[in-house]
């Protein structure tokens, strides 16, 4: 693509950038605004650093091409603009930020304009994305990333409607050493504001555009978590109002010299904040004052006779901790990347007490009262609480001394708000136990009196895209996407919100939830009845286009030597 930036302008970009100690930025960034859409925390970019020949002096030339997807305000985004606005930091410094003086991309562009490439723009709408063989690419095959192989959750595009143009960008970071990095687009106003904070949260202009421009404030912007992790997240520019959302939008990319990635696969995490309460519960089958007085010795409960005390915490398998242990083992065995295929959380609306973010003493009666309360109430449950938990666990993997990129996609549990039994029948708890992850004995100790009649975790069969909004903004905005690295091509296929539950129940033991519209042959979902499914009604219809079959057909036709399909949907089960 031609670039209107002259040599004189490039020289000006290189030398005029100065920052003084005042709250001003003398260096004038271009007014064209943009936001990075890809890479994302749950869809990081993989960059292979390899030899690209010799220069005239016989020195080895390297290349490490990073591809990005941007949403922009300008219809004619130029390479010089991209080079001056995109900033890179090592992952370990992702929250410390960099000043406008960071020239990782800019220096490469000044010395070699061809190191930055920008596609022609496409409209930022559903008809530009996820269309597979029907999709039209605006770059004549210049980029490996394809709009036709990416399906974005539509509320992301709608929420960022201030950025109506879609671009692909490639940057040759030939001098960058292997490792994990964060990249983002910095606008001048964002930079000025963030300089007043002690950390760089990346939650700047485009997120404000979203929050202020929407008639219905998105769930993630509800300040619902207090003292999450023990500390307030940050304060706003005025320093008056606390922001209780301790989350940032990251855009990680991983540079490596490996010719092929070893993949660690994890599925069905079912992370749940209530596990942290189970994990600290001292409730025992013998719960009498002589043996187990309800007293605290410092932060711990004092037990008089330990021979009669077998607390339930010693019998509970904490899914949250098991997930971390499994990932550690996979990484120690040599996994270069991790792919997590759905049911990332058990459900959306999780419990939030001090024990969900720290180890502390709590009376058993108080714990039972919290766990037995109504999930739909304001206390102690919070919208999106389990997504905060997954986000925290995900960052722990990225923040390791040997960081690992993690790819995520959604399953049926991720689209529900309350606890779900394996084979629900019209909201009736199976055998009187409302939590299907526990035995009767375990349920009694975890929940106390009323364990077999509580309404807290009765099945709610309503799947809604509302319950993955937080995930889509802070973790992964893509429903379906293809990852290419060398001769490897991975297709991540989303569940598609709706489940076929009734036929699973009628199938009896072994019947599993089925993705209602996954791999339909039409580009969009349709409203027909067939294949033993329930009639399609407005209630049963998908809230957004399901295009994984369109992407699949196009992906299968590609030339990659190794193709791997990742999905949560059950491919084979006793039902059919």
């Amino acid at each position: 693509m031609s670039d209107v930036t002259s040599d004189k302008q490039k020289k000006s970009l290189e030398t005029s950038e100065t920052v003084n100690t005042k709250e001003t930025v003398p260096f004038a960034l271009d007014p064209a605004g943009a936001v990075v859409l890809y890479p994302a925390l749950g869809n990081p970019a993989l960059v292979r650093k390899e030899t690209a020949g010799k220069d005239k002096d016989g020195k080895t030339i390297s290349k490490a091409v990073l591809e990005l997807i941007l949403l922009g305000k300008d219809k004619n985004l130029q390479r010089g603009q991209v080079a001056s606005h995109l900033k890179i930091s090592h992952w370990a410094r992702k929250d410390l930020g960099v000043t406008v003086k960071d020239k990782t991309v800019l220096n490469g562009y000044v010395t070699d304009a061809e190191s930055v490439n920008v596609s022609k723009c496409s409209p930022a709408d559903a008809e530009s994305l996820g269309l597979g063989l029907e999709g039209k690419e605006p770059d004549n095959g210049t980029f490996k990333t394809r709009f036709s192989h990416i399906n974005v959750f539509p509320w992301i595009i709608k929420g960022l409607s201030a950025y109506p143009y879609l671009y692909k960008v490639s940057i040759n970071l030939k001098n960058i050493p292997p490792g994990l990095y964060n990249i983002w687009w910095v606008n001048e106003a964002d930079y000025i504001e963030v300089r007043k904070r002690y950390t760089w949260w990346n939650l700047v202009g485009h997120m404000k555009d979203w929050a202020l421009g929407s008639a219905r404030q998105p769930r993630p912007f509800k300040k619902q978590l207090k003292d999450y992790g023990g500390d307030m997240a940050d304060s706003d520019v005025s320093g008056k109002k606390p922001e209780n959302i301790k989350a940032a939008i990251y855009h990680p990319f991983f540079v490596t010299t490996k010719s092929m990635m070893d993949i660690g696969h994890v599925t069905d995490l079912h992370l749940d904040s209530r596990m942290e309460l189970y994990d600290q519960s001292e409730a025992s089958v013998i719960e009498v004052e002589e043996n187990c007085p309800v007293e605290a010795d410092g932060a711990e409960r004092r037990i008089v006779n330990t021979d009669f005390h077998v607390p339930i915490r010693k019998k509970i398998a904490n899914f949250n901790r098991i997930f971390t242990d499994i990932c550690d083992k996979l990484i120690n065995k040599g996994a270069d990347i991790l792919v997590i295929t759905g049911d990332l959380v058990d459900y959306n609306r999780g419990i939030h007490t001090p024990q969900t973010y720290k180890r502390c003493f709590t009376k058993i009666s108080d714990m039972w009262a919290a766990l037995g309360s109504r999930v739909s109430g304001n206390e102690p449950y919070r919208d999106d609480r389990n997504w905060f938990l997954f986000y925290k666990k995900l960052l722990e993997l990225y923040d390791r001394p040997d960081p690992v990129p993690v790819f995520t996609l959604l399953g049926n549990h991720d689209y529900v708000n309350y606890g779900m039994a394996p084979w629900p029948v019209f909201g009736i708890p199976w055998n009187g136990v409302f939590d299907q992850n526990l035995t009767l004995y375990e349920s009694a100790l975890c929940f106390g009196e009323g364990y077999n009649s509580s309404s807290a975790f009765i099945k709610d069969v309503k799947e809604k895209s509302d319950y993955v909004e937080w995930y889509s903004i802070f973790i992964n905005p893509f429903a379906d996407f293809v990852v290419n690295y060398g001769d490897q091509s991975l297709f991540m296929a989303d569940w598609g919100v709706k489940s076929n539950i009734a036929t699973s129940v009628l199938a009896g033991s072994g019947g599993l939830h089925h993705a209602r519209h996954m791999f339909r042959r039409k580009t969009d979902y349709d409203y027909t009845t067939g294949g033993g499914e329930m009639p399609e009604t407005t209630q049963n219809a998908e809230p957004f286009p399901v295009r994984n079959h369109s992407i699949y057909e196009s992906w299968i036709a590609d030339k990659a030597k190794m193709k791997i399909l990742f999905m949560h949907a059950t491919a084979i089960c006793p039902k059919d």
Side-chain angles (χ1 to χ4, degrees), residues 49-50 52 61-65 104 107-108 111-112 115 171-177 255:
K49 187 168 186 178
E50 53 190 330
I61 301 174
S62 297
K63 73 173 182 178
V65 179
T104 310
N107 280 353
T111 58
D112 178 14
S115 67
I171 308 166
N172 188 352
L173 301 169
K174 53 189 176 183
N175 295 320
I176 197 168
V255 181

Side-chain angles (χ1 to χ4, degrees), residues 368 443-452:
W368 283 346
S443 294
L445 291 184
C446 283
F447 291 90
E449 185 178 1
Y451 70 93
N452 62 346

Side-chain angles (χ1 to χ4, degrees), residues 214-234:
S214 174
R216 182 178 68 87
Q217 187 184 46
R219 291 164 62 95
F221 292 96
K222 295 178 181 177
K223 309 288 194 293
Q224 73 270 38
L225 292 185
K226 297 179 180 179
D227 296 326
Y228 179 67
D231 300 302
M232 299 303 288
D234 201 354

Side-chain angles (χ1 to χ4, degrees), residues 510-575:
L512 297 174
H513 292 209
H514 284 244
R516 182 180 293 277
H517 298 112
M518 191 172 186
F519 290 111
R520 283 281 176 91
R521 289 190 175 275
K522 290 187 177 181
T523 300
D524 266 354
Y525 54 86
D526 60 29
Y527 295 89
T528 60
T529 303
E533 293 185 350
M534 294 174 64
E536 297 294 352
T537 63
T538 301
Q539 181 179 357
N540 291 328
E542 295 290 357
F544 62 87
V546 175
R547 289 174 168 159
N548 39 39
H549 192 277
S550 299
I551 298 174
Y552 173 80
E553 288 181 321
S554 180
W555 172 70
I556 274 295
D558 276 357
K559 297 180 180 179
K561 294 181 180 178
M562 179 184 293
K563 295 187 178 76
I564 308 176
L565 171 64
F566 290 92
M567 61 182 178
H568 182 79
T570 306
I572 301 172
C573 84
K575 174 180 177 288

Side-chain angles (χ1 to χ4, degrees), residues 432-448:
V433 183
F434 51 86
D435 185 342
Q436 299 300 316
N437 294 322
L438 303 174
T439 65
L440 285 166
Y441 164 74
E442 292 167 342
S443 294
L445 291 184
C446 283
F447 291 90

